[in-house]
Amino acid sequence: LSRTCRDGLKLSDRVWRIGQRYRGAVTRLVEDAVARGLDSRTLARQVQRYLRPGVWSAMKAETHRRLGIPKDVSYEAMRLARTELTNAYREGMIAANTATPSYRGVYWRLSGSHPLRDTCDDYASDTQYGEPGFYPRGAEPTSPHPQCMCVLVPAHEPPEEFSGRLQAWLRDPASQPDIETWYNTHARTFLGRPPSGWAPGAPGDVSAALIDTLVRRGCSRQASKRVAQVAEELRAKTARDGVEYAAMIEAQSGAQVGQALRGTADYANIGPHLRSMLPGKRYVQIHTHPASAPFSEVDMALLSYHQGPQRNIEVLVLAAHDGTLYVASRKSGVAIAHPAVISQTFWDEIDRLRPKWEGKWRSGELPAEEAWKHHLHEVWTNVADRLGIAYERLE
């Protein structure tokens, strides 16, 4: 779309009907074909009615057979269709990769059906940027001739190198100006800025704090260490896949119940784990949140529904995408509220605090996702105690 709207199609007056109406019609057909993913044969059939009278060249029989092109499709229409679809997808690939901060540039690779030496061979062997056929970000080559079927292969920084730069950016955004520009230009509207100093895959002190917290809440140190390990493993999977994961650990032995379960972006069905719990045992339920928000009211209701002797979930651990850990358990010596009361109290407090936190994201002070995270944390901070729940956030 950018190509046809910005530059217009390069249509030869010797081949195609003259006039803005005809050119506009061909442009719309090309744009529609790109948007709907049509193949070049279908597009060629649609555009060839706009050829000038008397312009219609048959394709060679071998070409018809090799490409599966019907005989009533002209060479001129097929040339336009193949050229413009290839150009559109090539430019789309460049645009998509340009929105990725690790993108370095492209390699020009010759088509497998490249028959004779031409300009494309020069593109593939050019070493002006160091490597044969490599062109850096912003210097990607354009199509050298009609019906060019050559391929652009995107090049990115090695994962280890880019991971180090990402961690440097998390510690000091100004140290990596290109990543900071990418974040502000492309990602800020849907991705909250991670907390300063947080490094993916490096749980650090927060895991030590989780272990101490679980021990205080009645878990063995062995089991607590296993919970911290599994929580970080699941968080890393969520960061990679963008969906929830869940696991269950026995609170004394540290044994894991079955395999970790994969859910969707906002839900993980832990039924298989619940059915595998043994009477008389106490368990720690672990799950993740891709959006990094604290517990939902459904999460907290697990502490009420499953409180021994047949099924006893002793502690809930939530490993948020941004590295924050949330912990909840029943308060000692206090009856936990019924799930219906937990839900009603939760939503009442959300509504009471809504003007405060909605105001922060509507004014631009916080991204919506970040405001929602703090909104829920304040909700549980305010209501957990009177619901018989011990709630804690570890950062």
Side-chain angles (χ1 to χ4, degrees):
L1 292 178
S2 174
R3 174 183 174 82
T4 57
C5 292
R6 182 183 68 241
D7 302 326
L9 296 180
K10 304 299 189 290
L11 301 178
S12 170
D13 292 342
R14 293 183 297 103
V15 177
W16 300 93
R17 292 178 183 269
I18 301 173
Q20 189 62 37
R21 181 166 66 91
Y22 294 117
R23 290 177 183 272
V26 175
T27 296
R28 287 191 295 274
L29 287 173
V30 171
E31 292 174 349
D32 178 70
V34 172
R36 293 199 288 145
L38 300 183
D39 59 70
S40 56
R41 295 181 293 277
T42 303
L43 176 58
R45 277 187 178 279
Q46 294 177 349
V47 300
Q48 69 180 1
R49 65 179 179 271
Y50 295 102
L51 291 168
R52 287 175 63 90
V55 176
W56 202 100
S57 301
M59 301 183 75
K60 295 178 181 179
E62 167 60 23
T63 304
H64 280 295
R65 184 172 59 256
R66 180 167 55 86
L67 300 180
I69 302 170
K71 292 183 178 180
D72 60 349
V73 173
S74 73
Y75 168 80
E76 291 82 5
M78 196 65 191
R79 177 178 61 191
L80 173 70
R82 296 182 77 190
T83 299
E84 292 306 322
L85 288 177
T86 300
N87 287 341
Y89 289 124
R90 191 178 285 158
E91 292 195 10
M93 184 277 291
I94 293 173
N97 280 276
T98 299
T100 305
S102 61
Y103 174 62
R104 293 175 50 237
V106 296
Y107 289 98
W108 184 277
R109 296 291 184 250
L110 295 176
S111 165
S113 59
H114 189 67
L116 299 171
R117 182 175 180 83
D118 60 14
T119 308
C120 293
D121 293 87
D122 298 331
Y123 278 22
S125 60
D126 193 327
T127 58
Q128 63 174 314
Y129 296 108
E131 302 175 77
F134 176 72
Y135 297 86
R137 182 187 190 118
E140 298 90 344
T142 57
S143 182
H145 61 77
Q147 299 207 79
C148 175
M149 296 289 109
C150 293
V151 178
L152 294 182
V153 178
H156 290 263
E157 293 179 47
E160 298 80 7
E161 178 182 321
F162 184 62
S163 176
R165 294 211 304 120
L166 269 180
Q167 293 187 34
W169 172 71
L170 289 167
R171 290 189 294 270
D172 178 14
S175 70
Q176 306 294 325
D178 61 318
I179 298 179
E180 180 67 7
T181 299
W182 163 81
Y183 175 76
N184 289 320
T185 303
H186 296 286
R188 191 181 190 94
T189 56
F190 60 87
L191 180 66
R193 185 183 292 277
S196 176
W198 175 71
D205 291 342
V206 71
S207 285
L210 174 61
I211 293 170
D212 291 341
T213 299
L214 293 175
V215 170
R216 290 199 311 271
R217 298 190 186 203
C219 301
S220 73
R221 185 160 291 275
Q222 175 183 338
S224 299
K225 289 180 178 180
R226 180 59 180 155
V227 169
Q229 178 187 352
V230 172
E232 173 54 24
E233 290 172 355
L234 298 189
R235 188 207 62 76
K237 288 183 177 182
T238 289
R240 181 192 67 201
D241 302 335
V243 299
E244 288 193 18
Y245 281 88
M248 191 87 80
I249 304 294
E250 202 272 308
Q252 186 60 40
S253 67
Q256 185 167 339
V257 177
Q259 299 296 315
L261 302 172
R262 178 187 170 110
T264 66
D266 54 12
Y267 176 72
N269 179 7
I270 65 169
H273 290 164
L274 296 176
R275 290 189 291 272
S276 299
M277 295 169 67
L278 298 176
K281 299 289 187 179
R282 299 178 298 116
Y283 294 90
V284 180
Q285 197 281 321
I286 312 164
H287 69 285
T288 62
H289 278 180
S292 297
F295 296 107
S296 69
E297 84 282 17
V298 176
D299 296 334
M300 289 296 198
L302 292 172
L303 293 172
S304 182
Y305 281 124
H306 305 291
Q307 46 177 328
Q310 294 302 310
R311 293 177 177 174
N312 188 354
I313 294 180
E314 189 80 6
V315 185
L316 300 177
V317 173
L318 196 163
H321 176 198
D322 66 2
T324 305
L325 294 171
Y326 300 91
V327 183
S329 60
R330 291 181 294 276
K331 290 188 66 177
S332 179
V334 179
I336 188 171
H338 187 276
V341 176
I342 293 175
S343 179
Q344 185 64 55
T345 305
F346 172 80
W347 286 107
D348 286 348
E349 189 67 4
I350 279 182
D351 290 339
R352 190 182 74 82
L353 296 173
R354 193 182 303 278
K356 171 184 175 180
W357 292 106
E358 280 196 3
K360 287 183 180 293
W361 72 260
R362 290 186 185 280
S363 68
E365 181 179 342
L366 289 173
E369 189 175 273
E370 193 75 7
W372 179 240
K373 180 178 74 172
H374 292 298
H375 188 167
L376 288 192
H377 174 62
E378 185 173 358
V379 167
W380 289 122
T381 300
N382 292 349
V383 306
D385 190 68
R386 69 174 185 260
L387 293 172
I389 297 171
Y391 166 76
E392 193 171 349
R393 178 171 71 178
L394 308 175
E395 296 182 290

